Amino acid sequence: MEDDKTDLVLSAIPGVLLDLHPAEDLLQHDAKITTGALETAEKKCFSENENVQKEKKKRKRPKIKGRKQKAKASDCSNTLLAELPFANTEISKEFGITSSEKGLKKKRKRKIARESEEDADEKKKQRKDQRPNYFVSVPITNPKIKGGIEAVQDIIVQKDHRLSKAMIPVGSLHITLLVTHLSTEEEVNAAVCALTELKDVLRDLLQGKELVLPFAGIGHFRSEVAFVQLAEGDHVTTLRDLAAEAVRKAFEGKGILAGDSRAFKPHLTFMKLSRSPKLRHQGVKKLDAKLYEHFERHRFGEESLSRLDLCSMLKKKTTDGYYHCEASVTL
């Protein structure tokens, strides 16, 4: 009876089961509930992870689609071009398509700069190729003139030993009448021919008179070149107008270009700084006139015009220091 009453009481309480389970049944029931809750939590977590992965795929998908679309568009363009009749030709030439104006200006500037540089190099090369390499000279044979100049050189070197390398050997002393460039053997032969033909011309111009050339005093060019001067007088005019002019016209008659005779200034160079570039690094940039001040009015002697030489600037000099002669004319 008491059990029946208990069941009635329990049945009257909402949410309470009519059947009463033993303790073991209650434990199993709680375990099922716990397991179910875990499975539900795992399913929820998996579902959330799956949603995250889907969201990431959605974010990447547009880029992949874009690349596919671009690839398809490129493939399509290539296919269309391959079908055209000018597929194997340059399209810009076929249709006259040009670059932008800005691009063209840059190309023009680069082209002009390149051409200007090439022109400058070509002109420089031409100037180098056209440098004088031959000259016509009056050799100095008087021992008195050579000895006097050598004495001046010795005194200068005693005052400044560095200038020894700037001295020109007295054996190469000469008066230059004309400089020219001879690039071929044919031109050298033509110059030799012109010189030999001068013999009779010069004799007629001098009318049998001896042309004496007196040398006195020392001068300089921009304090870089020192030379013995040809004294003033009618002999200077004769040398310029007869010898120098006759030589120039004879060479030009053979088609050989010659220097301008208006710059003709006969002298004997005995010292030149350019012979030793190291002097500039040693502090010697100019020649001090005090080095040769005691010889500014010194008379070195006279030379009679007796011979004209066609000399090479580049070929080996003779043992006495004079230049290699291609031809000589004795008057």
Side-chain angles (χ1 to χ4, degrees):
M1 289 296 289
E2 289 179 0
D3 292 336
D4 293 338
K5 287 180 181 180
T6 303
D7 290 338
L8 289 173
V9 172
L10 291 172
S11 62
I13 300 172
V16 179
L17 297 177
L18 293 176
D19 295 329
L20 294 175
H21 302 286
E24 293 179 359
D25 292 339
L26 286 172
L27 289 172
Q28 290 177 0
H29 183 65
D30 292 340
K32 287 180 181 180
I33 292 172
T34 304
T35 302
L38 289 172
E39 288 177 354
T40 302
E42 287 177 357
K43 286 180 181 180
K44 186 176 180 181
C45 182
F46 178 81
S47 178
E48 288 177 355
N49 289 335
E50 189 176 13
N51 290 335
V52 170
Q53 293 296 328
K54 286 181 179 180
E55 185 65 27
K56 287 182 178 180
K57 287 181 179 180
K58 284 180 182 180
R59 293 175 183 172
K60 292 181 179 180
R61 198 170 295 159
K63 293 183 181 179
I64 295 172
K65 285 182 179 180
R67 286 198 294 270
K68 286 182 179 179
Q69 287 175 358
K70 288 180 181 178
K72 287 180 180 179
S74 177
D75 294 340
C76 184
S77 299
N78 292 333
T79 304
L80 289 173
L81 287 173
E83 293 174 357
L84 294 173
F86 52 82
N88 294 326
T89 63
E90 189 176 341
I91 298 174
S92 61
K93 290 182 179 179
E94 184 74 17
F95 290 96
I97 300 172
T98 58
S99 305
S100 65
E101 188 67 23
K102 187 176 181 180
L104 286 174
K105 286 182 179 179
K106 287 183 178 180
K107 287 183 179 179
R108 288 194 195 101
K109 286 182 180 179
R110 286 197 296 268
K111 185 178 180 181
I112 291 170
R114 186 169 60 252
E115 289 177 350
S116 298
E117 186 175 350
E118 290 174 355
D119 290 343
D121 291 340
E122 185 63 26
K123 288 179 180 178
K124 186 176 180 181
K125 185 179 178 181
Q126 289 177 358
R127 286 195 298 270
K128 186 177 180 180
D129 293 340
Q130 295 299 320
R131 284 179 181 175
N133 56 356
Y134 281 86
F135 64 97
V136 176
S137 70
V138 175
I140 301 302
T141 60
N142 187 343
K144 182 180 178 181
I145 297 175
K146 290 183 178 181
I149 292 176
E150 195 168 22
V152 174
Q153 290 177 329
D154 291 340
I155 292 173
I156 292 174
V157 172
Q158 288 176 9
K159 293 180 178 180
D160 190 341
H161 68 277
R162 295 175 298 177
L163 295 174
S164 61
K165 295 181 179 179
M167 298 302 173
I168 293 175
V170 293
S172 63
L173 292 172
H174 66 278
I175 296 174
T176 303
L177 300 180
L178 171 146
V179 293
T180 186
H181 176 82
L182 305 176
S183 57
T184 63
E185 194 65 31
E186 289 76 11
E187 290 182 349
V188 173
N189 292 334
V192 171
C193 185
L195 188 66
T196 55
E197 291 177 359
L198 271 172
K199 186 172 184 178
D200 294 334
V201 175
L202 291 175
R203 280 179 177 175
D204 292 341
L205 291 172
L206 293 173
Q207 298 178 353
K209 296 178 181 180
E210 186 179 20
L211 182 60
V212 179
L213 306 173
F215 293 92
I218 295 178
H220 65 86
F221 294 131
R222 298 190 303 179
S223 297
E224 295 177 1
V225 177
F227 56 85
V228 172
Q229 301 178 116
L230 180 62
E232 293 295 331
D234 294 338
H235 52 274
V236 177
T237 304
T238 303
L239 186 64
R240 180 187 297 111
D241 296 342
L242 299 182
E245 277 295 310
V247 173
R248 185 179 62 82
K249 288 180 179 179
F251 272 63
E252 289 179 351
K254 297 293 183 181
I256 300 172
L257 296 177
D260 189 354
S261 61
R262 289 177 297 181
F264 178 66
K265 185 176 181 179
H267 61 277
L268 303 179
T269 301
F270 66 87
M271 181 169 55
K272 188 187 297 184
L273 290 180
S274 60
R275 281 179 59 86
S276 179
K278 291 182 179 180
L279 288 172
R280 182 173 291 274
H281 298 294
Q282 294 174 0
V284 183
K285 298 180 180 179
K286 297 291 182 180
L287 293 173
D288 189 351
K290 292 181 179 180
L291 293 169
Y292 47 81
E293 62 182 350
H294 297 298
F295 299 90
E296 288 181 350
R297 296 183 180 181
H298 180 74
R299 293 182 178 274
F300 289 89
E302 297 177 343
E303 179 73 34
S304 295
L305 177 61
S306 59
R307 195 179 85 202
L308 296 183
D309 295 331
L310 174 64
C311 300
S312 170
M313 296 181 184
L314 305 178
K315 292 183 179 180
K316 188 177 180 179
K317 292 183 176 181
T318 59
T319 54
D320 63 350
Y322 194 63
Y323 297 88
H324 172 82
C325 285
E326 295 289 346
S328 296
V329 173
T330 302
L331 301 177

